Amino acid sequence: MIDTHAHLDALDDDPADVVARAREAGVTRILTVGTDVAGCRRALELAEAHEAVFAILGIHPHAAKEATAADVAQVRELLGHPNAVAAGETGLDWFRDYAPRDTQQRLFAAMLEVAAETRKTAVIHTRAADADTLAALEDFEGQVVLHCFSSPHLLDTALERGWYVSFAGNATFPKAVDLRLAATQVPADRILAETDAPYLAPQAVRGRRNEPAYVMQTAAALAQARGEDPRALEQQIDRNATECFGLPV
């Protein structure tokens, strides 16, 4: 099993301990995410230090106000590292509005250009911005992951365009019936699972700091919703991630 999206640098614990607990739980690989230039460098350091860790590098929409063209250029350069497997997370967030919307849109466009130029999968953050996210992705021809999928209105387009759909701990919440229903409609070769650690701990450990080991609980909830054997789905998700991110077999 793999955790396709975590923020190891945001956890309080020693990353080595987090990776060890994940392995004990059955999680053999972790993709850690950089959300600004400094975070991207930390992600690569973690990937170099731990054989099981790979890096997703980008500039989060929350950081759009401070991001410069030079920052985007640095991320593009860092994506040349052999342990860098995707560009992101990038996108739009109209829920928090931590950065002006036009600034977020410019950064999103720039990061999609970087993804296209480097031929990396684009990992997309979208919150309360479905229509504008789709508009930004209309001409993007690369591979897409809808990270922490929480927008059922995007599902039809995602399925039509062959995007990957990644479910996080919020899919286990009792009221998240729409997310579990969405999970039943994603083809077997396009479903992913993640923690988004340290955020969104699954229901059984809700209120705690999330960590990669807990992705097993999300996978179990997805398997139950889909009427599948949990172990079989874990292996399928691992195969999907290997294909999506070009991970070593």
Side-chain angles (χ1 to χ4, degrees), residues 62 91-96 125-130 133 150-151:
H62 290 343
L92 304 172
D93 194 314
W94 295 170
F95 184 77
R96 296 292 184 189
H125 171 110
T126 180
R127 193 169 185 194
D130 290 357
T133 296
S150 304
S151 302

Side-chain angles (χ1 to χ4, degrees), residues 42-55:
R42 289 194 297 271
L44 286 175
E45 289 172 0
L46 288 165
E48 289 176 343
H50 303 281
E51 186 178 354
V53 176
F54 297 85

Side-chain angles (χ1 to χ4, degrees), residues 8-147:
L8 291 181
D9 63 333
L11 288 164
D12 297 329
D13 290 3
D14 186 322
D17 293 337
V18 174
V19 172
R21 287 196 296 271
R23 183 171 291 278
E24 289 174 5
V27 181
T28 57
R29 295 187 290 188
I30 301 165
L31 307 187
T32 191
V33 183
T35 57
D36 56 22
V37 174
C40 289
R41 295 190 187 281
R42 289 194 297 271
L44 286 175
E45 289 172 0
L46 288 165
E48 289 176 343
H50 303 281
E51 186 178 354
V53 176
F54 297 85
I56 296 173
L57 309 180
I59 303 177
H60 196 286
H62 290 343
K65 187 175 181 180
E66 295 78 26
T68 66
D71 292 333
V72 174
Q74 286 187 67
V75 171
R76 189 192 189 288
E77 181 179 352
L78 293 172
L79 281 165
H81 192 288
N83 289 332
V85 298
E89 61 191 279
T90 183
L92 304 172
D93 194 314
W94 295 170
F95 184 77
R96 296 292 184 189
D97 272 333
Y98 286 157
R101 294 188 176 186
D102 60 340
T103 304
Q104 290 190 48
Q105 287 174 313
R106 286 195 295 271
L107 175 63
F108 190 16
M111 281 301 309
L112 288 176
E113 286 184 11
V114 166
E117 290 168 0
T118 58
R119 298 184 179 181
K120 299 290 188 184
T121 294
V123 176
I124 306 302
H125 171 110
T126 180
R127 193 169 185 194
D130 290 357
D132 290 321
T133 296
L134 288 181
L137 289 167
E138 184 174 2
D139 296 324
F140 182 70
E141 297 181 355
Q143 189 54 261
V144 166
V145 173
L146 295 181
H147 139 70

